[in-house]
Amino acid sequence: IRLLKEVNDKGGMPQTFDDLAKYTLLHAVICEVMRVAPPFSVNQRRALRDVKLPNTEIVIPEGFLVGVSYSTSFAKNHK
């Protein structure tokens, strides 16, 4: 209801990306939706050098492609 009030008070939905800055609650809602359910749930990075993971014997070799999932925000113990 607060979001609808903000949009109505400002004369309707923003028409340009720059207009979005005036809609603070709408911007916050969009950012939260993108955090919880991003359009691409996996991002990939290539290791630029060998990397030893802390407290393990695991070494990610240089050039290895690593996938990072954004779905970790759904973890039960997430704080």
Side-chain angles (χ1 to χ4, degrees):
I1 292 178
R2 284 178 39 212
L3 178 56
L4 290 174
K5 181 174 178 351
E6 177 183 78
V7 170
N8 289 332
D9 287 351
K10 296 191 184 305
M13 293 296 287
Q15 299 302 306
T16 69
F17 182 77
D18 291 334
D19 290 344
L20 186 57
K22 302 171 194 165
Y23 294 72
T24 54
L25 187 57
L26 178 59
H27 185 265
V29 168
I30 292 170
C31 287
E32 181 64 4
V33 168
M34 295 298 285
R35 181 189 72 83
V36 173
F40 299 99
S41 61
V42 176
N43 197 359
Q44 294 181 335
R45 294 289 186 260
R46 189 168 305 278
L48 299 177
R49 58 181 167 73
D50 288 354
V51 178
K52 183 179 181 298
L53 298 181
N55 304 316
T56 73
E57 297 300 317
I58 299 171
V59 176
I60 299 172
E62 179 182 348
F64 192 82
L65 192 61
V66 178
V68 179
S69 173
Y70 292 111
S71 61
T72 55
S73 63
F74 293 107
K76 290 181 182 178
N77 62 353
H78 180 72
K79 295 179 182 173

